[in-house]
Amino acid sequence: MSYELAASTWGQEELDALQRVIESGRFTMGPEVAAFEQEFADYFGMRYGVMVNSGSSANLVSTAALFYKRDRPLQRGDEAIVPAISWCTTYHPLQQYGMKLRFVDVELETLNMDVGKLEKALTPRTRLVVGVSILGNPAALDVMRDFANRHGLYFLEDNCESMDAELAGQKTGTFGHLNTFSFFFSHHISTVEGGMVLTNDEELYHLLRAMRAHGWTRDLPEDSPIYNPYDNAYFEAYHFILPGYNVRPTEFSGAVGREQLKKLPCMTLARRKNMAFFQRVFGNDGRFIIQREHGKSSSFSFTLIPAPARKINRERVFASLRDARIGFRMITGGCFTRHDVIRYYDYEIVDDVRNAELAHDHGFFVGNGPGDLTPQIEYLHKVLDQACR
């Protein structure tokens, strides 16, 4: 490929970390994971971190934890306000736990939820708001959290695409009662597969730890607020208190995560430099709508939507990108209500999702990463310029 969607960010440090784990003989979740959890939480200024095997699992155990709180747990039939564009596993856990989803359209310029529609989305059954910052660009998370606080709702922040972004000096992934991250290959840091949940709530922290590993108590202290231990140590060793999962990470992922986290500030700076150049090249090109930065983006990728008024032939654009060997794909998961899986959902659309559908039908993104992409971005503009004439 002339311009890849993603590339490895590993160096010798990550390979040495893998070797360190091999030499330890401890491969399943252990001290490396625990150290990474603490270091990651510290980086974001949060009290607790719980590592899992993917960002999708982070959303799953976060949703589950809210259903098992002692006070005001979520219940089947409750409603969640969600954006129309995100990855599928933002939504699946909500459906699997019996929630009704109310889809809110996105702003075409930021691709994030249009928070001007939050009040209209609210019903007496609303219990949860899900905030998603699309592709590194912070959503109006402060507005969403304030809305949740005023109406007594839980706020789940899915930050899987936007690690290290900031809004008014605060890191994204810190606004929610629960905040999720992904460490997939193409994301801001990579542990091959992996995810994290951050929270400041002690009860939720303990629920997450139990849900992560079979719903048992082995990963919890005896003074945990969510259970009463048995007097008999034999039975306590296999004490199941919640209908949990096995979504534990490996020590390999924890060790690599520790090395990647050290590199994150520099990698984010490089992504932002590429973004600034992309904005200079495409910002005044009226043929394309590019993502308007809100807050301080960590620039997962670069989105482009051909301006509808220009009537640009999408298939010609896509063919030109393929011929030029430039990687591209739909924006995140597109408009979720357009996928066949929606027939399994209990849902309602607030007004309409015309902007999400426009992005679904015509938008795409190309890659960004922590290396200098100046030549690739210039090449991209040349290819698109010819394709749109």
Side-chain angles (χ1 to χ4, degrees):
M1 297 291 287
S2 302
Y3 185 173
E4 297 278 5
L5 273 172
S8 175
T9 57
W10 284 21
Q12 189 60 46
E13 299 88 352
E14 287 77 10
L15 301 179
D16 291 343
L18 294 177
Q19 187 61 40
R20 183 172 74 241
V21 173
I22 292 171
E23 292 171 357
S24 76
R26 171 69 183 260
F27 304 150
T28 191
M29 186 178 73
E32 292 283 355
V33 169
F36 180 44
E37 289 173 330
Q38 187 60 60
E39 290 162 7
F40 195 84
D42 289 345
Y43 183 87
F44 287 91
M46 299 290 283
R47 290 180 67 189
Y48 306 115
V50 178
M51 190 183 186
V52 290
N53 60 2
S54 69
S56 299
S57 293
N59 284 335
L60 174 62
V61 297
S62 293
T63 300
L66 292 173
F67 274 80
Y68 291 100
K69 281 180 60 64
R70 287 188 175 177
D71 297 324
R72 301 180 61 251
L74 295 182
Q75 300 178 27
R76 299 184 74 84
D78 286 344
E79 294 182 356
I81 298 173
V82 299
I85 290 180
S86 188
W87 187 243
C88 61
T89 49
T90 299
Y91 312 109
H92 289 341
L94 307 176
Q95 185 272 348
Q96 290 155 359
Y97 274 82
M99 300 194 76
K100 178 178 180 178
L101 274 60
R102 292 180 59 79
F103 286 94
V104 174
D105 201 8
V106 299
E107 299 172 325
L108 190 59
E109 294 77 17
T110 67
L111 298 176
N112 290 319
M113 184 193 288
D114 182 352
V115 293
K117 296 185 176 183
L118 281 173
E119 292 290 347
K120 190 166 187 178
L122 184 70
T123 79
R125 295 293 299 170
T126 305
R127 297 291 311 286
L128 175 68
V129 179
V130 180
V132 184
S133 296
I134 294 296
L135 298 172
N137 195 32
L141 303 168
D142 49 353
V143 176
M144 294 181 202
R145 181 59 190 260
D146 178 68
F147 174 81
N149 289 346
R150 286 189 287 109
H151 294 286
L153 312 176
Y154 293 117
F155 183 37
L156 170 59
E157 185 187 344
D158 181 337
N159 196 50
C160 288
E161 295 181 349
S162 298
M163 187 186 303
D164 222 23
E166 298 177 12
L167 184 63
Q170 181 176 342
K171 297 281 190 186
T172 59
T174 66
F175 286 82
H177 295 95
L178 293 155
N179 309 270
T180 62
F181 297 79
S182 173
F183 310 136
F184 183 62
F185 169 75
S186 59
H187 290 199
H188 291 81
I189 66 173
S190 172
T191 63
V192 183
E193 297 282 359
M196 188 79 75
V197 187
L198 295 182
T199 184
N200 285 328
D201 186 296
E202 183 183 21
E203 181 192 12
L204 288 174
Y205 171 59
H206 286 248
L207 288 167
L208 291 166
R209 288 173 70 98
M211 293 302 299
R212 168 177 68 178
H214 311 294
W216 63 5
T217 63
R218 186 175 296 185
D219 200 28
L220 301 175
E222 290 186 0
D223 62 349
S224 171
I226 69 170
Y227 84 109
N228 296 314
Y230 294 142
D231 293 333
N232 188 308
Y234 175 79
F235 289 109
E236 182 58 37
Y238 293 91
H239 185 178
F240 299 96
I241 59 172
L242 294 171
Y245 307 94
N246 180 8
V247 293
R248 292 174 298 192
T250 67
E251 279 289 85
F252 294 106
S253 294
V256 168
R258 298 179 70 188
E259 300 304 323
Q260 285 272 287
L261 186 61
K262 296 172 187 175
K263 300 178 179 181
L264 179 59
C266 289
M267 293 196 294
T268 301
L269 180 61
R271 285 177 175 272
R272 286 175 172 151
K273 286 182 178 178
N274 289 335
M275 179 183 67
F277 184 71
F278 177 85
Q279 290 170 335
R280 287 199 298 273
V281 172
F282 283 92
N284 294 318
D285 190 331
R287 295 171 295 183
F288 298 98
I289 301 168
I290 65 171
Q291 201 172 22
R292 174 172 54 79
E293 187 176 14
H294 177 247
K296 194 173 181 181
S297 175
S298 57
S299 192
F300 184 107
S301 61
F302 306 126
T303 63
L304 294 132
I305 302 174
R310 298 297 184 100
K311 301 187 185 304
I312 293 170
N313 186 307
R314 183 188 70 167
E315 294 309 315
R316 181 180 177 187
V317 168
F318 286 0
S320 296
L321 293 172
R322 292 187 192 101
D323 290 345
R325 302 178 70 243
I326 296 172
F328 67 98
R329 52 161 286 184
M330 70 160 40
I331 295 171
T332 306
C335 180
F336 188 70
T337 58
R338 293 282 296 277
H339 291 282
D340 291 350
V341 70
I342 199 67
R343 67 181 181 268
Y344 298 110
Y345 276 69
D346 182 11
Y347 74 98
E348 190 172 336
I349 294 173
V350 179
D351 288 339
D352 60 60
V353 288
R354 66 183 65 182
N355 289 336
E357 290 186 333
L358 180 63
H360 184 102
D361 289 329
H362 300 284
F364 60 96
F365 79 65
V366 297
N368 191 11
D372 180 15
L373 294 178
T374 300
Q376 288 89 339
I377 294 169
E378 289 176 334
Y379 179 52
L380 170 68
H381 189 262
K382 178 181 178 181
V383 169
L384 291 177
D385 180 59
Q386 293 176 344
C388 293
R389 288 180 178 175

